Amino acid sequence: MRRTIELAGPWDFSRQGFDSEKVMLPHTWNAIDGQDGGGDYWRGQATYEMALPALELAADEEAWLEFEGASAAADVYVNEAQVAHHEGGYSTFRANITGALAGRGGDGDGGVATSGENRVAVVVDNSQSQVVYPQTADFTFYGGLYRPARVVVVPATHFALDRDGGPGIYATPSVDLEAKTAQVALEAWVEGASAGEAVTFEVAGQRVEAPVSADGCARASVLLANVHLWEGLDDPYLYTLRASMASGDEKTVRFGCRTMQATGDGFFLNGRPYPLRGVSRHQDRAGVGSALTPAMHREDMALIREMGANAVRLAHYQHAQEFYDLCDELGVICWAEVPVITMRLNGGDANALLQMRELIEQNRNHASVFCWALSNEITTASAIDDALLATLNGLNDLAHELDPSRPTANAHVFMLDPASPVAHLADANAYNLYYGWYVGELEQNEEFFDAWHKAYPNEPMGLTEYGADCNPQFQSSDPARGDYSEQYQCVYHEHMLRMLDARPWMWCSFVWNMFDFGADGRNGGGNDGKNQKGLVTIDRKVRKDAFYLYRAFWSADPFVHVCGRRYVHRAQDVTQVVVYSNQPQVELYVDGEFLGSSDAGRVFCFEVPISGSHTICARAGELSDAIEVEHVDVPDPSYTLQSDEEVVNWFDDIAIDPAFFSVKDTIGELQAHPVAGAIVGRMMQAAAERYGGDVASQAMSNPAIRQIMERSSLESLLTQAGAADPETIARLNDTLQKIAKG
């Protein structure tokens, strides 16, 4: 019989330059320094060691070590003999340790390994590499044994443990919606089988036996009549497949029967329109880094479901099995991807293929998984040449070979020309767009997608990233792009949600991000080391107001939420109060007195006079929510980002003569004038040199992107790119104000 022994610890943990310590799994050594900013978190080799528990093995049994995640490369030793080398920090791998155990020696003498006789050592390395993805990205590459480890004891004839970390048994349904049936192809890969061995499959009351073929696989098929479909959030029904052998080994997996399709008209689940409207997720949180417990995974999913999302993008790597299981159980459709991101590694093709193989083999039973994504923003720092196309085509072909039942997908950086072959290489495509945050205006998001849809009406197109950073400490009555305020994040997402509602043909959209996450190279926004685009803070303690906006659009659970509870001190005589709710009408009360009602739907805005301390309450039927505000004479400085990064409205106190050029004019208007255009050219060249000439060149050689960028003001472009501080922009404005228009 198969049995497992968890290896939670304590482990002896050591790394050069630090004191050794006792740790328990899951563990990462970057839990703190990977989230404090500066881009200087420790990357290198560290060693985990422990004595294995007593292993009583019969003569016909084997012992395997299983690691669910060791970032990013690992060498495993038992009694100083190397038993495994693995490259890739996000997938399960195993090693047969039977021959290395004391008392066994590989001679099959049936000896017993006793406690203390066997030591395991794992050397884990997250240092920079040219062969292991990822290496360049806007998130922390946490090092460590950050997922569970265990010993698995199996009979000599057992379901495969050495097949890319997968479960060894698979169920692949082919659904006929008209006939209400599903033909389910069954596979069981076996190790140690001899002639005549067979596998017994059981599913939905049916039992079928199949011999193990020469390639080590037993194959069979069952027909499910009146099939119970997996219907996403509405009814995520799962079947269970049980496989067993005469040796006593047994394994069960779950699967779901459904059809999914992305087209130029949108996404379809079981033949019905079902636009994927969801969030992206990183697997870390404050103080623990990537070493999440099962309870933390469940809390993350609970927050995602509370908000009403029906899909999740598991970025930018393979996530823990617990989370795919939760997606299956709750009906959340997921986008799964490998960490081929930002920049192609010259020596990384073999590793990219390995990580794709492991992603698919470990996850293809999951009903929730729709697609296998090849890369994310890979053209940001990679030339579009034969080498890049070969890498992407290799991943595309491998995904189709391993799992013909699912499409491939790609997430493209906004600079990628829609006419590029990279933009059409996968079966389903999507772009990461940040118009209205990093660059440009909010309206340019719909312009981009409408232009794509007009040019390629039959190709599926989605939105894989969009968002605006928000530090909930910062509050504003006049929110502006780049101020990190909670109010601007709401303004941004209100626009994006309305844009998406009007375009059901966009097959997917994923907010970047569900949670703030560690990005140690970031410094800014009042919270170094974090990407703050999350709708929930990295510690999961604060649901930002924008979280409730999505709830208003996506969730059916009745609620009402008054925004601005962290904006207590207000220096206006009349303040705007925004209420989010999925109820048809909202009433507002100030200090118990009725102020007014609104049936605007989802976003309800009220103008409220204030003169002292007030309780402002919103009611929708029996539902209510309230905040406290206080009128002050001077704006509270703690609500504003106090740094050079702040997007200050310096021009509020400066008279701009409209007869002359200014930084408020668009790039296109300025470039049309010979003198003003030369100034713009020099500024853009400086930005290109700072952020990489290839990126700027790609953007401006792309006709569609160039047209959109030309509509951005010079001020917004330079500020959001971080290419000039407010004082420099003011001096530039003075220069432009000497150049007459016309």
Side-chain angles (χ1 to χ4, degrees):
M1 294 289 291
R2 179 178 294 224
R3 60 190 188 275
T4 61
I5 304 167
E6 296 298 319
L7 300 179
W11 291 75
D12 296 318
F13 173 69
S14 61
R15 51 180 169 154
Q16 187 175 6
F18 295 83
D19 293 336
S20 60
E21 55 184 309
K22 298 284 188 181
V23 301
M24 301 293 290
L25 301 190
H27 175 262
T28 172
W29 60 75
N30 297 125
I32 304 301
D33 69 354
Q35 300 176 350
D36 62 1
D40 55 355
Y41 65 103
W42 192 87
R43 297 178 68 179
Q45 284 189 353
T47 302
Y48 296 82
E49 295 185 78
M50 73 176 296
L52 290 176
L55 299 174
E56 297 185 1
L57 301 183
D60 61 348
E61 287 186 317
E62 295 178 356
W64 292 67
L65 280 175
E66 177 179 87
F67 299 92
E68 292 190 19
S71 181
D75 290 289
V76 184
Y77 302 84
V78 173
N79 298 327
E80 299 185 353
Q82 185 165 3
V83 294
H85 173 74
H86 184 260
E87 295 180 340
Y90 306 101
S91 51
T92 295
F93 69 97
R94 306 185 182 100
N96 187 341
I97 64 172
T98 312
L101 293 174
R104 294 293 292 222
D107 58 7
D109 62 6
V112 175
T114 58
S115 178
E117 292 182 347
N118 297 288
R119 288 193 67 82
V120 59
V122 189
V123 180
V124 185
D125 188 351
N126 73 335
S127 58
Q128 292 184 337
S129 165
Q130 285 303 307
V131 297
V132 180
Y133 283 99
Q135 292 299 323
T136 304
D138 183 26
F139 59 93
T140 297
F141 308 144
Y142 298 96
L145 290 180
Y146 68 95
R147 291 183 188 154
R150 61 186 59 87
V151 175
V152 182
V153 178
V154 293
T157 301
H158 55 266
F159 294 112
L161 292 167
D162 199 23
R163 188 176 173 80
D164 298 310
I169 67 172
Y170 300 96
T172 306
S174 178
V175 176
D176 186 329
L177 294 175
E178 254 185 66
K180 299 181 180 179
T181 62
Q183 193 76 42
V184 185
L186 308 174
E187 299 173 55
W189 294 87
V190 179
E191 293 166 348
S194 55
E197 293 277 359
V199 173
T200 299
F201 297 101
E202 296 177 68
V203 59
Q206 300 186 56
R207 183 185 178 97
V208 59
E209 190 172 280
V212 179
S213 62
D215 64 354
C217 185
R219 297 176 177 87
S221 179
V222 296
L223 180 68
L224 301 179
N226 297 313
V227 63
H228 193 157
L229 296 177
W230 188 88
E231 289 278 15
L233 299 182
D234 299 326
D235 183 13
Y237 184 82
L238 295 170
Y239 287 90
T240 298
L241 168 64
R242 176 178 177 268
S244 58
M245 289 184 290
S247 68
D249 199 20
E250 183 178 303
K251 184 82 176 170
T252 62
V253 295
R254 298 180 301 176
F255 67 96
C257 296
R258 80 292 184 276
T259 67
M260 296 183 186
Q261 186 181 20
T263 75
D265 295 321
F267 187 85
F268 297 85
L269 173 63
N270 297 327
R272 62 187 173 103
Y274 195 85
L276 300 185
R277 298 294 180 253
V279 295
S280 295
R281 176 199 186 237
H282 266 297
Q283 62 171 21
D284 70 340
R285 65 169 60 197
V288 298
S290 57
L292 302 186
T293 64
M296 292 173 182
H297 289 297
R298 290 193 296 272
E299 183 183 14
D300 280 5
M301 178 57 83
L303 286 163
I304 291 170
R305 284 298 302 117
E306 177 188 341
M307 202 179 74
N310 67 3
V312 61
R313 181 187 180 202
L314 299 181
H316 288 296
Y317 37 73
Q318 183 173 332
H319 285 228
Q321 283 300 308
E322 289 99 329
F323 209 82
Y324 294 98
D325 288 340
L326 289 169
C327 289
D328 291 345
E329 295 163 6
L330 297 174
V332 177
I333 294 173
C334 69
W335 162 304
E337 68 184 63
V338 291
V340 178
I341 177 170
T342 309
M343 179 177 67
R344 176 184 174 272
L345 302 179
N346 288 332
D349 280 5
N351 183 253
L353 293 169
L354 171 65
Q355 293 204 51
M356 178 63 80
R357 181 178 294 277
E358 291 177 331
L359 176 71
I360 294 173
E361 291 302 306
Q362 293 174 29
N363 295 288
R364 62 186 174 100
N365 284 321
H366 289 292
S368 56
V369 174
F370 167 63
C371 62
W372 308 116
L374 312 177
S375 67
N376 176 74
E377 297 188 349
I378 194 61
T379 58
T380 299
S382 299
I384 302 173
D385 56 15
D386 290 344
L388 178 63
L389 291 172
T391 297
L392 296 176
N393 278 310
L395 289 167
N396 199 45
D397 292 344
L398 178 62
H400 288 144
E401 174 192 337
L402 295 176
D403 185 10
S405 71
R406 287 181 175 89
T408 56
N410 239 339
H412 306 303
V413 67
F414 85 99
M415 287 94 72
L416 180 67
D417 188 341
S420 167
V422 175
H424 306 272
L425 189 146
D427 301 315
N429 287 283
Y431 268 77
N432 301 343
L433 294 190
Y434 289 97
Y435 296 118
W437 181 245
Y438 289 126
V439 67
E441 308 302 327
L442 279 165
E443 294 76 13
Q444 293 172 260
N445 290 284
E446 44 262 55
E447 290 177 18
F448 180 94
F449 285 115
D450 289 346
W452 170 282
H453 194 52
K454 182 178 180 180
Y456 309 103
N458 298 319
E459 292 191 33
M461 173 49 61
L463 178 57
T464 29
E465 288 185 25
Y466 66 102
D469 283 271
C470 163
N471 183 334
Q473 173 185 338
F474 300 139
Q475 306 291 321
S476 176
S477 62
D478 185 22
R481 184 182 61 231
D483 65 6
Y484 288 86
S485 71
E486 196 164 14
Q487 287 72 27
Y488 185 76
Q489 188 183 45
C490 289
V491 168
Y492 176 94
H493 284 290
E494 286 174 17
H495 180 95
M496 297 303 291
L497 274 165
R498 292 183 177 116
M499 185 272 286
L500 290 167
D501 263 9
R503 290 161 180 81
W505 51 263
M506 291 179 64
W507 72 273
C508 71
S509 65
F510 298 101
V511 178
W512 191 261
N513 199 282
M514 181 65 193
F515 308 106
D516 293 347
F517 59 89
D520 195 55
R522 281 182 170 249
N523 295 290
N527 195 359
D528 291 352
K530 319 290 191 303
N531 185 311
Q532 298 184 87
K533 294 183 184 66
L535 303 177
V536 178
T537 52
I538 191 171
D539 57 9
R540 284 26 174 201
K541 291 182 179 179
V542 176
R543 296 164 175 82
K544 303 177 188 180
D545 283 339
F547 172 93
Y548 295 95
L549 169 67
Y550 278 89
R551 221 181 135 183
F553 273 74
W554 289 350
S555 174
D557 293 336
F559 84 101
V560 61
H561 172 79
V562 183
C563 298
R565 67 195 58 243
R566 283 166 286 277
Y567 190 14
V568 177
H569 303 135
R570 307 194 183 198
Q572 314 96 43
D573 295 331
V574 177
T575 189
Q576 184 181 70
V577 174
V578 177
V579 179
Y580 293 147
S581 178
N582 53 10
Q583 300 303 289
Q585 187 180 63
V586 167
E587 297 176 339
L588 199 74
Y589 294 80
V590 179
D591 300 327
E593 297 293 325
F594 177 72
L595 178 79
S597 65
S598 171
D599 58 3
R602 297 172 174 165
V603 180
F604 305 85
C605 299
F606 300 88
E607 297 297 318
V608 179
I610 58 174
S611 57
S613 296
H614 303 281
T615 299
I616 299 174
C617 179
R619 296 177 186 169
E622 296 182 357
L623 301 169
S624 66
D625 186 44
I627 64 171
E628 304 289 331
V629 302
E630 179 183 347
H631 182 271
V632 294
D633 295 330
V634 179
D636 188 331
S638 69
Y639 290 163
T640 303
L641 178 62
Q642 303 295 318
S643 82
D644 291 340
E645 295 171 278
E646 182 185 359
V647 180
V648 295
N649 291 333
W650 56 269
F651 48 83
D652 287 345
D653 299 323
I654 297 178
I656 294 178
D657 189 337
F660 295 81
F661 286 106
S662 76
V663 294
K664 305 299 291 182
D665 291 316
T666 67
I667 298 296
E669 292 169 335
L670 292 164
Q671 287 181 325
H673 188 277
V675 179
I679 294 172
V680 170
R682 289 195 295 273
M683 294 298 297
M684 296 188 71
Q685 179 62 34
E689 291 173 356
R690 178 174 179 177
Y691 287 99
D694 289 344
V695 174
S697 176
Q698 284 185 43
M700 295 313 292
S701 65
N702 176 342
I705 299 299
R706 186 172 65 247
Q707 182 181 21
I708 292 172
M709 290 182 69
E710 286 173 351
R711 292 187 55 235
S712 301
S713 72
L714 178 59
E715 176 219 358
S716 66
L717 192 64
L718 293 174
T719 301
Q720 296 307 308
D725 56 39
E727 184 178 346
T728 301
I729 294 175
R731 289 199 302 270
L732 177 61
N733 186 71
D734 289 340
T735 301
L736 291 172
Q737 281 280 280
K738 297 178 174 63
I739 305 171
K741 295 181 179 179

